[in-house]
Structure formats: structure tokens, C-alpha cells
Amino acid sequence: MKPRLGVYKFTSCDGCQLALLNQGEGLLALLERVELTHFPEAGPNAPEAAVDIALIEGSLSTPEEAERIRAIRARSGQLVALGACATAGGIQALRNATEAGSAWRAALYPQPEFIATAERSLPVSALVHVDLELFGCPIDAAQLLAALNALLAGGRYRPSGDSVCGECKRAGHGCVLVGRAEPCLGPVTRAGCGALCPGQGRGCYGCFGPSAQANLASLKTVFANLGLPPDAIERRFAFITAEAFRAAGEKHG
Ligand code: SF4
Ligand code: SF4
Ligand code: SF4
């Protein structure tokens, strides 16, 4: 019997699921090795079935999602969190920095009493044990397929903790920070995307979250020396992976 794979959506834009769907031949090869038990975006819909590997997309942003992730955890073998939403709360976690309570709901919705949100938007690891986190917004789907191959072979997969700068240099991209004086978060951002943005001549905005030894204070000094005012510097880190960068700042400075 093939291992069973489930793909579950929580609060998200579906982009990480689409990255997997867009893998074409890689996805077809994967499907020869697994039984796709639950993946509504691709067809199979069995939300209550037990699976060997659960892929989780999205942050936990409602009381219902907190219950659902615990149930999925209980009937899953390995649980993998996919992307900035599932690993860091994503863009929706920006509300965590606002005042507690429901003021923002009243500002957005005419009848906020019908909007059931949790007090904070959380990464999956905040509520249940996560076996593996894959980063990015969206994930690098080739990295996901490599991780699944490792798990299906009974092995482990650990994403690199190095920064985007290493990938950027190995790819031979010109440095937009040094060469064009453009802010780039590559020095403090986890590798894994192949330095996609510098390869297009633009700075990294940190979608893979902080690298293992991210020295935010040092990069902020570099940005200040480029002439960025303090609020503009802070906004650079208050984006898709804001919660993760905040935690990294507390840990490494
Ligand atoms: S990490 Fe990005 S691409 Fe993936 S679901 Fe969240 S917002 Fe969408
Ligand atoms: S462009 Fe960005 S990621 Fe590339 S070497 Fe320069 S600072 Fe690092
Ligand atoms: S360069 Fe930075 S922002 Fe661009 S894909 Fe890579 S990690 Fe994300």
C-alpha cells in the first residue's frame, strides 16, 4: 500500500498549493509513489482520513482552525508546514502587532460580529508539533519534492540555515546592495529560493524568513548608511515574515 499524502489549507492565498500543482512532471512522479488522499485543489477530498504525510498551508487564524489542526495532527504521521503563512503566520499575522481586541474588524467589516478570528494569527508550530518546516512565499516546490522524496525514503530533510547571499554569489548575480545601493534582506534571509530576486536585479524582501544566525542589527546599520530613515528600515522587516524576523531580532540582535 502506498503512503497516503494529504494537503490541507488554512488561512492562506493557496499559492503554496499552486506551487506544488505547477510542478508538472515532478508531481506526476510523486503521484506514482503516494496515494493522494486529500487535496481538494487537485480533486481528492477526504478531510477526515488518516495520512502518513500531512502538508499544511496557511496560518492558524480562527478558533475553528485551532481545532482542525489538532485533529489533523492526531491522525497524521509526519506533518510538514508549507510557506510563510504556516511557518511564521504570514501577512495575516501583521495584525498581531496591532492592539488586541476587535477594533480592526470593525474598521474592515460592516458586521464584524460575523467574523470569527482568533486573537492572533499563528504559525502551525505554535499549536502542534511540526516535523518539518519549508519556507518561502510561496515555497520552492522543487525543495518540497526533494523533502518528500527524503521522507518517503525514511530519511530526514533539513532546509539550509544559510543566507540568500551565499546562493546569490554562487549564481554569479551582481549585488544590488553593494552595486546599486538598494536595500536587500538577503544577508539575513534563509537560503532556498536560489536568490530569485537578486537574479532579477531587485533586493530580497525576506520571504524565506530569517537565516539561522541573522544579524538584523548589523543590516539595519547598513540600511541606515544607505540613507533609509528608521521607520522605513523597520517596515522592511514588517512584511510576510514579520513575526519570524521579530523573534530573530530578540534572539540574535
Ligand atoms: S506562504 Fe505566501 S504563497 Fe504560500 S499560502 Fe501563504 S501567502 Fe500564499
Ligand atoms: S544582492 Fe542581496 S542577497 Fe545578493 S549578495 Fe547582495 S546583499 Fe546578498
Ligand atoms: S530573494 Fe528573498 S524575497 Fe526573493 S524569493 Fe528569495 S527569499 Fe524570497
Side-chain angles (χ1 to χ4, degrees), residues 164-166 168-169 173-178 184-187 195 198 202-204:
V164 174
C165 283
C168 194
K169 294 298 181 201
H173 300 322
C175 180
V176 298
L177 181 63
V178 174
C184 176
L185 263 59
R202 55 164 288 179
C204 168

Side-chain angles (χ1 to χ4, degrees), residues 5-91:
L5 178 73
V7 184
Y8 305 87
K9 171 184 164 64
F10 285 74
T11 300
S12 65
C13 80
D14 287 28
C16 290
Q17 294 180 73
L18 286 174
L20 176 58
L21 273 175
N22 283 340
Q23 272 302 289
E25 287 182 11
L27 182 57
L28 292 176
L30 173 69
L31 293 179
E32 289 179 2
R33 303 179 59 199
V34 301
E35 177 192 337
L36 195 55
T37 305
H38 177 74
F39 190 1
E41 194 138 325
N45 190 5
E48 307 297 329
V51 295
D52 297 288
I53 301 177
L55 305 182
I56 310 295
E57 177 200 78
S59 67
L60 309 177
S61 299
T62 69
E64 177 271 337
E65 289 183 334
E67 277 183 36
R68 190 154 59 89
I69 193 65
R70 289 190 176 103
I72 291 171
R73 174 70 272 186
R75 56 175 179 260
S76 301
Q78 306 255 7
L79 188 145
V80 183
L82 298 184
C85 294
T87 60
I91 199 91

Side-chain angles (χ1 to χ4, degrees), residues 139-224:
I139 50 158
D140 182 89
Q143 188 184 51
L144 171 60
L145 291 177
L148 288 174
N149 282 334
L151 296 181
L152 290 168
R156 288 161 58 91
Y157 184 90
R158 287 291 172 260
S160 165
D162 291 346
S163 74
V164 174
C165 283
E167 295 186 295
C168 194
K169 294 298 181 201
R170 284 192 290 279
H173 300 322
C175 180
V176 298
L177 181 63
V178 174
R180 292 160 53 172
E182 281 186 23
C184 176
L185 263 59
V188 296
T189 297
R190 183 184 292 270
C193 68
L196 201 57
C197 297
Q200 299 299 314
R202 55 164 288 179
C204 168
Y205 56 90
C207 83
F208 269 59
S211 54
Q213 302 292 332
N215 186 336
L216 273 58
S218 176
L219 188 61
K220 287 178 181 179
T221 301
V222 172
F223 287 175

Side-chain angles (χ1 to χ4, degrees), residues 86-108:
T87 60
I91 199 91
Q92 53 274 23
L94 289 179
R95 71 182 173 87
N96 296 354
T98 65
E99 285 177 26
S102 59
W104 66 270
R105 285 183 211 123
L108 285 177

